[in-house]
Amino acid sequence: MRLSETHRLYKQKLEEVSKLQDSCSHAIARQRNKLKELIVSLGDWLYLSLVLGIVNVTLLNKHSKFTYKDEYEKFKLVLTVLLLFFSFTCRFVFSYRALDAHFNFLLVWYYCTLTIRESILISNGSRINGWWVFHHYVFCFLYGVMLTYPEGILYQMFRNQFLAYCLYQSFVQFLQYYYQSGCLYRLRALGESHNMDLPVGEREVTHCCFWQLYNVLTLFRMAQLPECRKWQVFMCGCSYLVLFMGNFSTTLGVVYHKYIHNIEKDNWTLCK
């Protein structure tokens, strides 16, 4: 009798210890995830502190977070339409260096603002792929270089191609905004997407990356010309090369993950 009672107490204590171990393991795993998130967001916080100073950018409630996210999406849509009109005007209506400079300044301001707003969204729970954020920083640098690009033969050689690229990019972004917003709405309704997720134009990146490669080839050919003594040509070429390589590799990653997901889905269907 005593032996069975001792065995029962032993099993009870063993279960309590096992539960305690599981609880500790889950707590350690949560702390590791929080530490990884802290390391990833450290760069974004540093950028915000440099731009905004000592300001608390954490939104207090879900309604404020969703409102800010919606404002971010509306901001992108309005600026996309404005850039579409501006690039069309510069490409087909007026050909003035001063107007081009205003257009490049608008592009620099737009992408700088995006990086700040995206950093705030990440700090409040939005899951944004690191490359989508980084490539906006590259665009800030690229259009800043284009803003300092002096008037001359080399500028005119690349001007129409550059404006056509900006026009095409804005047009694709405009179309992709509605398509991706619809897809994201359906995923939210099915519970497969977070409420703070943003519409990301993966097809937009796929369409534009090959034009970026074309820009790379054009600029590197220009850099080899004997009359080319402008550093902007080579730096713009390097920026477009970074954009192409990042967009192309990211697109391949997305296609691979979707392929694996479809295989797993088919296997699950067969198992049923």
Side-chain angles (χ1 to χ4, degrees):
M1 189 72 178
R2 290 180 179 178
L3 183 61
S4 61
E5 181 68 18
T6 302
H7 182 67
R8 186 185 65 81
L9 291 174
Y10 172 76
K11 288 182 65 177
Q12 181 180 352
K13 295 297 182 181
L14 183 62
E15 290 177 357
E16 291 177 358
V17 171
S18 298
K19 291 180 180 178
L20 183 60
Q21 287 178 337
D22 292 338
S23 177
C24 291
S25 298
H26 290 310
I28 292 173
R30 287 196 299 270
Q31 292 300 324
R32 285 178 177 174
N33 290 332
K34 289 182 179 179
L35 181 60
K36 289 180 181 178
E37 293 175 358
L38 178 62
I39 294 174
V40 171
S41 62
L42 182 60
D44 297 320
W45 279 105
L46 177 61
Y47 178 71
L48 285 174
S49 63
L50 291 175
V51 175
L52 302 177
I54 305 176
V55 178
N56 184 10
V57 295
T58 303
L59 303 175
L60 299 179
N61 52 63
K62 290 184 178 180
H63 176 72
S64 298
K65 293 179 180 180
F66 298 155
T67 300
Y68 189 83
K69 180 185 70 68
D70 291 337
E71 288 297 323
Y72 165 84
E73 294 175 358
K74 291 177 182 177
F75 169 79
K76 284 191 67 176
L77 179 61
V78 172
L79 265 295
T80 297
V81 174
L82 181 59
L83 290 171
L84 179 64
F85 171 78
F86 213 147
S87 57
F88 178 86
T89 302
C90 292
R91 176 63 179 85
F92 296 107
V93 182
F94 299 108
S95 180
Y96 300 120
R97 182 66 183 91
L99 187 63
D100 293 352
H102 282 82
F103 176 62
N104 283 300
F105 179 80
L106 178 62
L107 286 168
V108 173
W109 174 81
Y110 170 60
Y111 282 103
C112 285
T113 305
L114 281 186
T115 58
I116 297 173
R117 294 196 178 204
E118 286 168 349
S119 298
I120 294 175
L121 286 169
I122 292 172
S123 301
N124 287 276
S126 289
R127 297 178 298 181
I128 306 177
N129 187 296
W131 167 247
W132 310 128
V133 179
F134 179 74
H135 100 298
H136 287 163
Y137 287 96
V138 179
F139 272 125
C140 291
F141 175 79
L142 169 63
Y143 294 130
V145 174
M146 286 298 300
L147 184 61
T148 65
Y149 206 133
E151 176 65 70
I153 297 176
L154 293 174
Y155 177 80
Q156 293 299 327
M157 288 176 63
F158 185 63
R159 177 184 182 273
N160 288 340
Q161 182 175 325
F162 169 73
L163 292 173
Y165 164 77
C166 293
L167 178 63
Y168 175 79
Q169 185 181 40
S170 298
F171 179 70
V172 174
Q173 286 176 348
F174 177 76
L175 295 180
Q176 285 295 317
Y177 172 83
Y178 289 102
Y179 173 78
Q180 294 292 337
S181 296
C183 291
L184 190 58
Y185 178 81
R186 288 192 294 272
L187 290 174
R188 287 173 185 164
L190 294 172
E192 299 179 4
S193 178
H194 192 269
N195 287 329
M196 287 296 288
D197 285 350
L198 300 170
V200 178
E202 295 168 356
R203 289 178 175 82
E204 164 212 325
V205 172
T206 306
H207 293 157
C208 291
C209 70
F210 293 106
W211 199 323
Q212 290 165 356
L213 177 61
Y214 178 53
N215 289 343
V216 171
L217 297 175
T218 300
L219 288 165
F220 282 171
R221 288 196 192 103
M222 290 171 55
Q224 295 175 357
L225 296 176
E227 61 270 23
C228 180
R229 294 184 176 86
K230 306 297 183 183
W231 62 270
Q232 287 90 347
V233 176
F234 181 75
M235 293 307 299
C236 286
C238 291
S239 300
Y240 277 118
L241 181 60
V242 172
L243 290 171
F244 167 75
M245 294 176 62
N247 288 334
F248 187 72
S249 59
T250 302
T251 301
L252 289 180
V254 171
V255 172
Y256 173 76
H257 285 302
K258 287 185 177 180
Y259 175 73
I260 296 298
H261 176 73
N262 290 333
I263 291 178
E264 293 176 349
K265 186 177 180 181
D266 293 339
N267 291 337
W268 175 255
T269 303
L270 291 173
C271 291
K272 284 187 175 181

